[in-house]
Amino acid sequence: MRIVIAILVALLLMLQVELWRQYGQIGELMRQVETQLDQNQGLSERNDALAAEVADLKSGLEAVEERARAELGLVRDGERFYLVVDPEDLPEGQAEALRRLEGLPAAPDPVGGASEARPALDDRPDPDPPTDDG
């Protein structure tokens, strides 16, 4: 009878060990479910934003025009495009040319005002003046 009790106790201990091992796996699976739910929430918000953008692109031309201006540089007739450049971002030769252009007088604007952004072609110094070394 003692052998049967010992076998039953050993069997009970093995079942307990298996039960606690599976209980630990349940905790790990619960953490994985929480992580996946968080990922799904973020992706759902992203999908909603993309669906709203698609609906906006299908419904009106304003969104298409805004995107074309931002990504493709769209300029309509009658508009002027100004590109503002930081001299530190230019290569050395171009930065020096920009500094020389900034020192020149402004050309008259064809609309009627004076534009300070562009030098007049007649006022530019000759890059290679003729010499009389002859």
Side-chain angles (χ1 to χ4, degrees):
M1 179 82 171
R2 288 182 185 235
I3 295 177
V4 173
I5 292 176
I7 292 174
L8 289 175
V9 168
L11 219 83
L12 181 65
L13 286 175
M14 287 173 42
L15 289 173
Q16 282 292 325
V17 167
E18 185 66 24
L19 176 72
W20 287 106
R21 189 177 65 82
Q22 288 181 1
Y23 184 73
Q25 287 178 347
I26 290 173
E28 175 63 28
L29 290 174
M30 294 294 277
R31 284 189 290 276
Q32 288 178 2
V33 166
E34 287 295 321
T35 302
Q36 190 63 48
L37 287 174
D38 290 342
Q39 275 185 334
N40 289 351
Q41 178 66 29
L43 292 174
S44 176
E45 291 172 2
R46 180 174 169 240
N47 286 347
D48 291 342
L50 288 173
E53 185 175 351
V54 166
D56 194 24
L57 288 171
K58 286 183 177 179
S59 67
L61 294 177
E62 292 84 21
V64 174
E65 181 178 340
E66 176 184 338
R67 194 160 212 176
R69 286 179 182 275
E71 295 178 7
L72 304 174
L74 171 72
V75 180
R76 294 179 126 191
D77 290 337
E79 293 181 342
R80 290 189 181 185
F81 176 73
Y82 294 96
L83 178 63
V84 179
V85 179
D86 190 11
E88 286 85 32
D89 294 340
L90 294 174
E92 183 57 39
Q94 291 178 357
E96 182 60 33
L98 181 64
R99 283 189 209 99
R100 280 185 279 157
L101 285 175
E102 287 175 346
L104 298 176
D109 193 2
V111 177
S115 170
E116 297 182 18
R118 230 178 336 156
L121 293 176
D122 297 336
D123 294 340
R124 291 184 184 175
D126 190 8
D128 295 320
T131 58
D132 293 332
D133 293 337

